Amino acid sequence: MEQRSAEWFAARLGNVTASRVKDVMASGRGGSPSVTRKNYMMELLCERLTGQQGGMDLSRNAAVQRGVELEPFACMAYEADKDLMVVETGLVMHPTIQGFGASPDGLSGDDGVLEIKCPNTATHIATMQSGKHDPQYEWQMLAQMACTGRKWADFVSYDDRLPEELQYVCFRYEFDFKRAREMEAEIKAFLEELAELEKEMRERMGSKAA
């Protein structure tokens, strides 16, 4: 299944995906459910009821489009750096949690996943200076590892606007069992709540149809 294909978008409908796990994990004041979490649940509920993609239109986002165009070059830089071949993959569903899946940018070696970001130049330089991956993507990478059964994620930041020696940087993020269990428990609770809302809405639809 090719990423960003019609089949790929259809397979993602109504499911929690790795790139949005941070929204599931977001908490409000005092640990209460956040507005971000509520909005994501409503987005998935609408997808399940309408069969149409909600949220951001990826095809109209210039930054996302730039990332899509640069991703093959970033991947080639990574393959040259690590001396290996990256295997492309589509949506990988979690082995035990129905409704939860991930689409890594590639499978690396026997134990890794690849996550590529092509941010603005300031963010790329900041990541390079920090000496580690951008922490805002930890939930995404952890979700990818949980779905694929892999042990680490290589985070690549790439910017072709800089001189060649500064265009590429890679940092490894190791699987965190404790955080993964916390994440999976929260996703299960989120999906159970979503299923209840869907059931309620379908019952309303059924009663009106009758």
Side-chain angles (χ1 to χ4, degrees):
M1 184 193 303
E2 185 179 348
Q3 290 197 27
R4 302 179 187 90
S5 65
E7 182 186 8
W8 181 76
F9 279 114
R12 287 162 52 93
L13 279 178
N15 293 322
V16 170
T17 54
S19 62
R20 301 294 297 275
V21 165
K22 67 181 186 297
D23 295 341
V24 176
M25 303 303 295
S27 59
R29 291 182 179 178
S32 60
S34 68
V35 173
T36 300
R37 183 182 186 277
K38 291 177 181 177
N39 287 344
Y40 183 41
M41 185 171 293
M42 185 58 65
E43 182 183 320
L44 293 186
L45 177 62
C46 292
E47 288 185 353
R48 290 186 176 197
L49 294 174
T50 66
Q52 297 180 8
Q53 179 192 352
M56 178 177 65
D57 184 352
L58 297 178
S59 65
R60 297 183 182 180
N61 187 296
V64 171
Q65 278 297 106
R66 180 175 181 276
V68 170
E69 292 167 3
L70 287 179
E71 190 175 298
F73 299 98
C75 186
M76 285 190 289
Y78 173 77
E79 289 178 325
D81 176 36
K82 303 299 182 183
D83 191 25
L84 51 72
M85 293 289 292
V86 171
V87 178
E88 293 183 4
T89 183
L91 181 66
V92 181
M93 300 306 293
H94 190 278
T96 62
I97 304 176
Q98 187 176 357
F100 170 36
S103 301
D105 289 325
L107 301 178
S108 179
D110 294 328
D111 297 314
V113 296
L114 175 62
E115 180 56 33
I116 296 171
K117 299 298 180 187
C118 301
N120 62 53
T121 301
T123 299
H124 175 77
I125 291 174
T127 299
M128 187 177 293
Q129 290 175 327
S130 74
K132 61 173 291 185
H133 61 271
D134 189 332
Q136 69 171 307
Y137 298 111
E138 285 186 357
W139 287 123
Q140 181 178 3
M141 292 188 287
L142 197 59
Q144 291 171 350
M145 288 184 274
C147 288
T148 60
R150 301 250 158 168
K151 299 177 181 177
W152 47 261
D154 273 347
F155 177 88
V156 167
S157 183
Y158 184 80
D159 185 355
D160 66 339
R161 292 166 291 205
L162 287 163
E164 186 173 350
E165 59 272 18
L166 299 177
Q167 291 178 1
Y168 162 90
V169 66
C170 176
F171 300 109
R172 181 159 295 184
Y173 178 52
E174 301 284 348
F175 185 73
D176 185 326
F177 184 84
K178 184 177 179 181
R179 287 191 79 194
R181 295 295 83 81
E182 174 194 350
M183 174 190 70
E184 289 171 338
E186 192 62 39
I187 290 172
K188 284 181 182 178
F190 180 91
L191 285 167
E192 287 170 4
E193 188 178 340
L194 175 60
E196 283 298 314
L197 290 175
E198 182 185 6
K199 179 182 176 183
E200 178 185 320
M201 295 306 297
R202 292 196 181 280
E203 285 175 351
R204 287 191 182 190
M205 292 162 56
S207 64
K208 288 191 175 183

